[in-house]
Structure formats: structure tokens, C-alpha cells
Amino acid sequence: MGLTAAGVCTMVTGGSGAGADMAAWLPLPSAAVTAFLLLVFPRVSQAQTFSLPFQEPETCGHNQYFDISALSCVSCGANQRQDNRGTSCVCLPGFQVISNNGGPDIICKKCPENMKGVTRDGWNCISCPSGLTAEGKCHCPTGHILVERDVNGTLLSQATCKLCDENENSFTVANALGDRCVRCEPTFINTSRSCACSEPNILTGGLCFSSTGNFPPHMISTARYGELGASFTSEWFAKYLQSSAAACWLYANLTSCQALGNMCVMNMNSYDSATFDACRLFQFIFENTAGLRTVHSVSFWRQNLPWLFYGDQLGLAPQVLSTTPLPTNFSFKDQNQNTKLKFVAASYDVRGNFLKWQTLEGGILQLCPDTETRLNAAYSFGTTYQQNCEIPLSKILADFPTPVFYDVYLEYTNENQHQYIWAVPVLNLNLQHNKIFVNQDDSASKWLLTRRIFLVDALSGRENDLASQPRLLRVATQISLSIHLVPNTKNGNIYPPLITIAYNDIDVKDPNSQSVKVSFSVEYEMNQGEAHVQTDIALGVLGGLAVLSSLLKTAGWKRRIGSPMIDLQTVMKFLVYYAGDLANVFFIITVGTGLYWLIFFKAQKSVSVLLPRPAQEERFVTYVGCAFALKSKEDETLLLILSSWPGEGGVRSATVPVSIWRTYFVANEWNEIQTVRKINPLFQVLTVLFLLEVVGFKNLALMDSSSSLSRSPSSYIAPYSRILRYAVSSALWLVIGIIQIVFFAVFYERFIEDKIRQFVDLCCMSNISVFLLSHKCFGYYIHGRSVHGHADTNMEEMNMNLKREAESLCSQRGLVPNTDGQTFQIAISSQMRQHYDRIHETLTRVHKEMDYFIKDKLLLERILGMEFMEPMEKSIFYNDESYSFSSVLYYGNEATLLIYDLLFFCVVDLAYQNFILAAFLTYLQQEIFRFVRNTVGQKNLASKTLVDQRFLI
């Protein structure tokens, strides 16, 4: 019934479910359509659940099949049973197929009594003269084939069994299915001139060999599992070792020789002169075919045989690995970039058949799954690669039922643009030579290099049945590719790469619950000997200068304390100075070394340097640790010294009465400038962290050739180099710190606020002179005598005094008439120090009978930080326009604090590889030290001001 324009849509109320909802918008005359839709879209019961029983094909009974649609077991029809797959039904023996529409839709009919047999295809009944098999098919004796149809395909009423002709003119036998005569295996014909391998000939692996000849008689079909300390008879070796070795030796059969070589590789290329196992047999054939030519002039590669070994001569491995560079070069940023390691492999199956040439890209040797981009990053030259994962044993068994073997080569193009391949040697850590793991020795001269590898061997671990689950499984759990740069190269030349492989033997018990950890890595290295020599030279020279500097500092200190004797205190002071100077030496060396690797590695075009491996970084990390430990000692000493201020002091005042409030005010200001620094610590930490984490400078520390600050999330992220992390963070920290210091000195102090000079002005306005002794006979003097005579005035008088001073209507502030010099370094005589000690407790004025004179320091004195002239009767006041009294404050020790904060940041990062944590802890320790300094300073200030009266008006 069609819909017309007269049909008006209306809402139908009532009912529930999908049918009601669908009918709600139907035209009024569409009752039939409504009924149809209710059939197509039945109502859904609100109480219906979506749970169903879980069944697997293995749980179905003999007369059931697994319905792949309903995912449950369903009974087969009459006269039927489950097929081999378990997902359909077949007729019982003695029943022929009448109809078969696929799956379980099958009809069976019993065969008549005179034709109880069923043809091989199951569709017809046939008479069988020689009996029936368990499946109800016709049976034929050994050597016969079953014939059910005529040449033109006509079905015979009675099957016949034909004997294959084994005579010399035919040499045929029945095939494995028993339905066709085929020519006998050639070894049978060659050995016995028949299709039978009778004694004394030897039948093994489906091949027939003569018992005569010089072939080794006692072969061992043992699979070695040295890691588990176990060995047992492998079913694969028992079936095919002898036949493969014999065919290789007697007939030079190529696939048999490859199969024999594969069995040797499955035994870890292990050689034992006392037993004739796979590798001993291979070696026997190799030694007895010396008359044959070599392949490609390689003495280890004999004609017809695979190349498995490089030889067992001592010292051969270093010659192979570091004598002849590859005739190609690599670059990072040159126009003709050669940034890819083009590895290719000749692959073979376990039976010795050549499979194909294939590139290693795409994860051929990488068991861990990943994206193709990340997998291929392993072969980007200069990129240190690390991949680790844990794989279930069940997945390994499913993915690698039989091993695949690889002979790896590096493809390159010579100067004439011709393509060549270079054989890549293998260091198998599981290899045993006469029961000794020679490849685990630290000396490369004892190594025995090999050629062929595999990833998983689930075949040789099967004991009695090749179709059964393996008892033992062997997995390549560690594969490392090492690239060694030729020393002093400028064109990116490398030595042949080395594949280091380690296998893990696993006792298979429950594959579903067992797993194995695997790793794949690519490492680059260069000879670090020259770099170590240069570092040692720098350390020796700078260390000697540090000793000299410490001696000069100690001599200056001895003069400033007025003590000519060398005692234990002198030695301890020397060690403190030396710790600080040696810390600076280690700091300079580590920063210089880090910047060298950062600049020369990342900026090079043709490769001439490669980053140190993690193991080679330990020496560098030790230097950083030494720098931090020594700088910590210096910083601790500095904190103790600074926390003892205001120290010993004196006064210079007018004769008018003194207000204690001016003393408190100046003391409070002094306390406030204790921790004033030339940089803002919070800004320093946040800026460095922002540049590292947000801008992406941390990506410069990755162990790859890229200088980009951003990386795609889909790309492979190389591991970080600790040296480069230190270099990047140190460079940023120093640059930001220096920028802050320059900004502070050039702009902030000039146009905004200079707290140090403001304090000197405050002393002058308050009519307070400050006398600070940092040593027994050395210190600083701030001349704060007011040019107006007194400071206890009202606001009007103070403004007038300032106006007069601005208009030069009064004398200048300097200690020397007509000068502005208010700050001095002072070297006082012993006589003055003794007099000071006598009047210490009642000091209220400067005693004018103590004479002094004023002079400028020599340039060399300023550079060395010591005084050449020793005060005898008169004390010496050195003009000090640089306000060096700030050396008793944080302000004057900015370099030490900046380096300490930098080292603290870097040490935390080197330990935890986390810039955010390093920034947080660095700022935290800054605040703790600031708090300690202020707290201790306030206590000392109060005690010395109010009790000892050492900081007076």
C-alpha cells in the first residue's frame, strides 16, 4: 500500500519499546507497514539481559561442532561427527556425503553392504579389496597406491592397489599420500641402485648413505643449553643432523650445508673437540674441504658452506674490528648526507632454504613492538637507541614456531657509486669453546667472532615430537649494535659494526603465565683516550694554579690576622681555600668538557666526534660530584663566616648625645642587606626551567644528531646524555645569571635602587660610622660622619641640610677633606688591635691618638686580594670605591653562590634525570640558607649591638 498526500503524520501514544517508537511517526493509513516494522524491529523486553555462556571449540563434544556465529557448541546431524577443525561436521565412517552446503549443513547416507568403503573425497561408496582404514577409506599395502578412478575420471566399482615399479628403469615409490608413484630420493638410487636403503647402508632423515668412507661415525644429537646447565636429545637434531651433515659432506648439497650450519648456530656456535655435535661436524667438513675455493676471497668462507666463524686464532677479533675502516663515510648536515645505516640480511629457514634479502628496517631484529618510525630510528646514524619490553611466552611461541636465521651485512656505496656489502661480525655471549665462555672475557683478543644469528629457537627444545610444545625455549634477550668511530677521522669513517647478542634459555612450563624481558640497543663510541689525556693535562695545570692561589690567599690571611707562625689553623685555612679553588677547577673542566661535546657533536657536518657512552661518562660525573662536594664545603664555610656578622666593629661620632634609635635603625638596615643578591633566585630557577622544559632546550641533550628544540610525539626519543644535560643546564644557568648581574649593575642599581650605596648614605645621614673587622688586623671602615655635625634634627632642618649639601654649601662627605671617599679597606697595626681590645667593652668613640694614613691599593694588590705593606705603628686606610665591605654579605659573594646553586641543580638532575625536581630542590635550599642566614644574623646583630656595643654610633 503506497503513501499518499492525504496521509497525515500523527503522534501515536501508548506502548513502549522500539516498535512503539517506530510506529509513533507513521502515516495513519499505514497499519500494514506498522505490522511489518514490528516484525523487523521486535520489541525489546526491559528485563532482557545480554549475558551468554562462554564456550570454546575445545569444549565441544565429539558429536558437536562450534558454531562460529552463535559462539557456542551445537549438535551435529544424524550419522555425523565433528571434523578436524571443530567448526563443522563430517559423515561417520561408512557414510557417503549426499549434500554439503558448507559448515554443518551436510546430509549423509549409509553405504551398501557390498560397497562399505568411501572414496577419498567422501562423496561415493566403493568396494575395497584390501580392507578399510579407521576413517572408512580403502587401505593399500606399503609401496602400493590406491586407484579409485579411471584415467578419464570414471569411478571404479572396486578400488585397486597398484605396486609402484622400483626397477632400475623407473625407480618409483608411493608418495606420502599413497595416491601417486614418484621417483625415489636420489641418495637411495646413488647408494643402492634401488628405492630401498637396506643394511649395511644408513637410513637417516629420509636419506640413504653408504656405511663406508671417512665420515665421523658417532654423532651426538644433543641441544646445548649452557645457561640452564642442561642438555638433552633434540628431536630435530635426532632426525636431521646426521642426514644434513652426510649430504653436505658427501654430496656438497647446498641446503644441507646451510641446515647443518643452522644447527650449529642453534647450539650457540659452541665447539667441543671431544664430541661430534653440530658445530664439530661443521668444523670437520670445513677442515676437510680445504682444497675447495673460498667465496669472495674470504678465507673463513668455504665453497658450498655457510660462513659461520672468523677463526679461532688469538687476537683475531681486534684485527677484524679495528684494522680496516669501512670504505664509506657518514655525515650529519652535509649536502650529500649519509645518515642511515643500511643494514641488510640474507635470511634462511631452518631447513637451509634461502628465503630472501631483506633490510633490517621494520623491526626485523627488534622483538619489541612499536611504530615503524620508532623502529627505523635505530638505524639513523649518530642516534643512540634503546628499546626494552617484556613479552609473553605464548606470543613468542605463536610468532616464532620455527627459527629464521640471518647473515647481516652493511650496505654502502663506494666512490664510484657502486653498491657493496660488508659482513657484520657477531659476538655471541653464549658461545663456548671447549666449555669456556670466551666471549664473556674482558679481553677482546680472546673473543671468537661469528656471523649467523636468530631471534627465537622453539624447535631444538622439542624432545620427542616436533609438533609438541618445546621443553626449552631460547630467546635473544639482548641485542646490541656497536658503531666505533675511526680515531682522528674528519670524514665520518667507522670500523665494521659489531652485533653483540645474548640468549636466554627458558624452561617452558606455562607459556600463558611466563614472560621474558628483551632489549635492543644501538651504541656509538670513539676512543676517549685523547680526551682523557687533555682533561688530565687541564686538571694538572689548573690544579697547580689552584695550589698557588690557595697559598697566596693563606699568606694574605696570615698577614691580615697578624700572625707570622705556621700552625694547624694555618693548614686548615689553606685546605679550606684549596677546596674552594679546586671546586672552581673541577667546575671549569666539567663545563668546558660539556660545552665541547655539545657544540662539536651537534654542530658537526662530517662526523668527527661521537658522544661518550654511559659507562664512559662515569669519570665526568665523578668530576661534577667533586666540584659539588668541594663547593659545598666552601659554601658552608662562607655561610658560617657571614652568619657571624656584623662582627667586630667600632664607632666614630660627634660629641653630642647619641639617640639609640638611630643605632637600631642602621642595625636593622644592615640586617636587611645581609642576603641581598645581584640575581633573583626565583626568577633564575623559573627561567632556566622554562627554557629547558617549555622552549625545549632539554632536547639538545638527547643522544642524537638533531639540533632541533622540538620533537614530534610520534618520533623516537633517544636517551639523554648526562654530559649534554649538564652542559645545557650549566650554559643556561650561567647565561641567565650573567644577564641578571649585568642588568642589576647597569640598569637596576643606576635607575631603581642600589641598597649597598643607600646603606652608606644612611650611615652618613644618621651620623654613624661603621668599623668592621673581618680579620684580627684587617677589615672595612664606612665613614658615616655627618657633614652637618649632628643628625638628631627635625624634618625641616634635615631638608635644609640636604639642600645645602646639594648646593655644595657644606664640606664633602669623605674622610679626607674635599673628597667623597667614604668606604675603606683597613689594615690596622698590632698596637692598634691591642689598644682596641683594651677598650673593647667601653668603646664609645674612636681614639684619635691611634694614628693612620690613607693610600690607594696597588693594581697587583687588588688582583691578588692581599696587602704588601704591613702596618707597623700606623694603620693603613685603603681607598675603596668598589664598596668591598660587601664581601661580608651575600652581595659580594655572588659568584660563589651562583656556582653552588648551579652545581646543586645539576647534581640533582644527574641523579634523578628530572629538571623539575632539580629546580624545586634548588630553590628550596636557597630559601633554607636565606632563612638560616637571616635568623642567625639577627641574633648576632642584636647581641653585638645591645650587649657588646660593637656596632655603635
Side-chain angles (χ1 to χ4, degrees), residues 27 93-94 96 170 212 311 387 415 526 581 621 635 758 840 867 871:
Q96 67 178 115
S170 301
T212 61
Q387 185 190 44
E415 298 177 353
M526 62 177 292
D581 290 337
V621 174
D635 196 66
Q758 286 178 354
H840 178 268
E867 297 76 36

Side-chain angles (χ1 to χ4, degrees), residues 163-439:
L163 178 64
C164 293
D165 185 8
E166 298 184 6
N167 294 324
E168 187 169 350
N169 292 333
S170 301
F171 288 130
T172 60
V173 292
N175 65 355
L177 296 177
D179 60 357
R180 191 161 60 94
C181 291
V182 295
R183 185 172 175 83
C184 301
E185 210 285 324
T187 58
F188 285 73
I189 301 173
N190 295 336
T191 302
S192 63
R193 301 303 298 172
S194 70
C195 291
C197 188
S198 56
E199 294 184 353
N201 298 321
I202 301 173
L203 177 63
T204 175
L207 305 179
C208 185
F209 300 99
S210 174
S211 60
T212 61
N214 60 351
F215 196 77
H218 303 292
M219 303 181 189
I220 299 179
S221 304
T222 300
R224 300 176 182 272
Y225 289 84
E227 185 177 290
L228 297 176
S231 61
F232 62 91
T233 301
S234 166
E235 182 66 13
W236 179 262
F237 286 6
K239 280 190 173 183
Y240 300 109
L241 175 59
Q242 188 175 22
S243 59
S244 298
C248 178
W249 166 240
L250 298 177
Y251 303 112
N253 183 274
L254 295 180
T255 55
S256 296
C257 291
Q258 295 291 338
L260 175 63
N262 291 342
M263 282 184 265
C264 176
V265 175
M266 293 163 80
N267 255 352
M268 299 290 93
N269 295 92
S270 297
Y271 175 86
D272 191 345
S273 58
T275 59
F276 276 98
D277 58 4
C279 290
R280 181 69 180 90
L281 289 172
F282 181 87
Q283 190 68 20
F284 172 85
I285 298 174
F286 183 87
E287 293 171 353
N288 287 275
T289 54
L292 298 179
R293 64 181 179 88
T294 60
V295 179
H296 300 299
S297 301
V298 178
S299 59
F300 316 113
W301 195 351
R302 194 64 45 79
Q303 183 182 7
N304 303 326
L305 296 177
W307 179 8
L308 298 187
F309 299 94
Y310 277 87
D312 57 358
Q313 299 93 337
L314 289 176
L316 181 60
Q319 296 179 28
V320 173
L321 297 175
S322 58
T323 299
T324 307
L326 263 67
T328 187
N329 52 63
F330 293 88
S331 60
F332 286 163
K333 299 178 175 65
D334 201 359
Q335 291 182 352
N336 299 321
Q337 293 189 35
N338 186 14
T339 62
K340 274 290 185 182
L341 293 166
K342 300 176 183 177
F343 288 101
V344 294
S347 56
Y348 299 84
D349 67 10
V350 70
R351 297 181 180 274
N353 297 303
F354 176 79
L355 298 178
K356 60 181 176 179
W357 280 104
Q358 58 187 130
T359 175
L360 294 190
E361 291 189 341
I364 299 301
L365 298 185
Q366 295 151 275
L367 290 174
C368 295
D370 210 332
T371 64
E372 186 172 354
T373 301
R374 293 183 181 136
L375 291 173
N376 294 344
Y379 307 110
S380 177
F381 187 80
T383 299
T384 299
Y385 187 91
Q386 290 181 356
Q387 185 190 44
N388 303 276
C389 67
E390 188 169 356
I391 307 177
L393 225 58
S394 57
K395 175 174 172 51
I396 293 180
L397 290 174
D399 294 344
F400 298 92
T402 59
V404 177
F405 298 85
Y406 303 97
D407 292 344
V408 182
Y409 298 86
L410 179 62
E411 181 184 345
Y412 67 94
T413 303
N414 68 356
E415 298 177 353
N416 299 323
Q417 300 303 310
H418 294 159
Q419 285 189 323
Y420 291 88
I421 55 175
W422 192 285
V424 178
V426 175
L427 183 68
N428 187 343
L429 300 181
N430 297 71
L431 183 148
Q432 296 182 64
H433 187 73
N434 291 325
K435 301 181 180 180
I436 299 176
F437 291 96
V438 292
N439 287 346

Side-chain angles (χ1 to χ4, degrees), residues 369-607:
D370 210 332
T371 64
E372 186 172 354
T373 301
R374 293 183 181 136
L375 291 173
N376 294 344
Y379 307 110
S380 177
F381 187 80
T383 299
T384 299
Y385 187 91
Q386 290 181 356
Q387 185 190 44
N388 303 276
C389 67
E390 188 169 356
I391 307 177
L393 225 58
S394 57
K395 175 174 172 51
I396 293 180
L397 290 174
D399 294 344
F400 298 92
T402 59
V404 177
F405 298 85
Y406 303 97
D407 292 344
V408 182
Y409 298 86
L410 179 62
E411 181 184 345
Y412 67 94
T413 303
N414 68 356
E415 298 177 353
N416 299 323
Q417 300 303 310
H418 294 159
Q419 285 189 323
Y420 291 88
I421 55 175
W422 192 285
V424 178
V426 175
L427 183 68
N428 187 343
L429 300 181
N430 297 71
L431 183 148
Q432 296 182 64
H433 187 73
N434 291 325
K435 301 181 180 180
I436 299 176
F437 291 96
V438 292
N439 287 346
Q440 298 181 15
D441 197 283
D442 294 333
S443 175
S445 61
K446 297 182 180 179
W447 293 350
L448 295 180
L449 301 178
T450 58
R451 284 283 296 123
R452 184 165 292 187
I453 63 173
F454 64 89
L455 298 183
V456 178
D457 175 18
L459 188 61
S460 65
R462 292 181 165 95
E463 275 192 291
N464 302 315
D465 185 3
L466 293 178
S468 64
Q469 176 178 288
R471 171 185 165 187
L472 295 174
L473 179 68
R474 178 168 280 156
V475 181
T477 53
Q478 297 179 27
I479 300 179
S480 177
L481 186 60
S482 302
I483 313 295
H484 197 103
L485 193 69
V486 174
N488 302 318
T489 181
K490 302 299 180 183
N491 300 316
N493 297 111
I494 64 172
Y495 287 122
L498 173 66
I499 296 178
T500 303
I501 189 166
Y503 292 91
N504 189 16
D505 300 332
I506 304 169
D507 188 0
V508 181
K509 295 180 179 178
D510 183 7
N512 293 322
S513 62
Q514 291 178 275
S515 61
V516 59
K517 294 181 179 180
V518 299
S519 66
F520 180 89
S521 62
V522 181
E523 296 181 344
Y524 295 82
E525 60 180 308
M526 62 177 292
N527 190 345
Q528 300 292 326
E530 183 177 354
H532 290 164
V533 170
Q534 298 296 334
T535 302
D536 292 341
I537 292 175
L539 185 60
V541 173
L542 295 179
L545 293 177
V547 173
L548 180 61
S549 173
S550 301
L551 288 174
L552 291 175
K553 290 179 181 178
T554 305
W557 173 77
K558 291 292 290 182
R559 173 159 290 188
R560 289 179 175 183
I561 66 172
S563 172
M565 301 295 296
I566 298 178
D567 51 11
L568 180 61
Q569 185 184 15
T570 305
V571 175
M572 296 303 296
K573 195 66 177 180
F574 167 78
L575 293 178
V576 170
Y577 284 134
Y578 186 59
D581 290 337
L582 194 58
N584 294 334
V585 169
F586 280 116
F587 175 73
I588 293 172
I589 289 177
T590 53
V591 171
T593 301
L595 292 177
Y596 167 83
W597 289 115
L598 176 64
I599 295 172
F600 282 87
F601 177 73
K602 292 288 185 177
Q604 63 186 332
K605 294 182 179 179
S606 293
V607 180

Side-chain angles (χ1 to χ4, degrees), residues 820-873:
D820 291 322
Q822 293 179 263
T823 58
F824 301 88
Q825 296 181 18
I826 57 175
I828 63 176
S829 63
S830 299
Q831 182 181 2
M832 182 177 179
R833 176 69 198 203
Q834 293 171 2
H835 189 71
Y836 171 82
D837 292 339
R838 287 197 301 270
I839 64 174
H840 178 268
E841 301 212 357
T842 59
L843 182 63
T844 58
R845 59 190 178 85
V846 174
H847 291 258
K848 300 186 180 188
E849 61 271 19
M850 301 308 301
D851 201 3
Y852 64 90
F853 65 93
I854 301 174
K855 69 184 296 290
D856 291 327
K857 265 193 171 184
L858 300 175
L859 176 62
L860 189 58
E861 288 180 309
R862 295 176 184 272
I863 294 175
L864 298 179
M866 61 184 299
E867 297 76 36
F868 295 157
M869 183 180 294
E870 183 176 357
M872 302 303 291
E873 296 181 357

Side-chain angles (χ1 to χ4, degrees), residues 863-915:
I863 294 175
L864 298 179
M866 61 184 299
E867 297 76 36
F868 295 157
M869 183 180 294
E870 183 176 357
M872 302 303 291
E873 296 181 357
K874 293 184 178 182
S875 299
I876 305 173
F877 278 43
Y878 294 99
N879 288 312
D880 181 22
E881 298 178 356
S882 60
Y883 297 88
S884 61
F885 72 88
S886 62
S887 62
V888 301
L889 308 171
Y890 271 18
Y891 184 91
N893 295 275
E894 187 59 60
T896 299
L897 297 173
L898 181 69
I899 294 175
Y900 175 76
D901 291 343
L902 186 158
L903 288 172
F904 186 93
F905 179 89
C906 291
V907 166
V908 174
D909 177 65
L910 290 178
Y912 297 100
Q913 299 279 290
N914 190 318
F915 286 125

Side-chain angles (χ1 to χ4, degrees), residues 679-732:
I679 68 170
N680 185 313
L682 180 59
F683 176 82
Q684 176 81 14
V685 169
L686 292 180
T687 303
V688 171
L689 186 61
F690 174 81
L691 293 175
L692 288 171
E693 292 289 343
V694 179
V695 178
F697 275 90
K698 69 176 182 180
N699 291 323
L700 293 177
L702 296 175
M703 299 179 72
D704 58 27
S705 61
S706 174
S707 301
S708 174
L709 298 183
S710 61
R711 302 298 170 90
S712 171
S714 62
S715 64
Y716 170 75
I717 304 300
Y720 286 100
S721 164
R722 289 182 291 181
I723 292 180
L724 295 189
R725 286 181 75 97
Y726 178 83
V728 172
S729 55
S730 297
L732 291 177

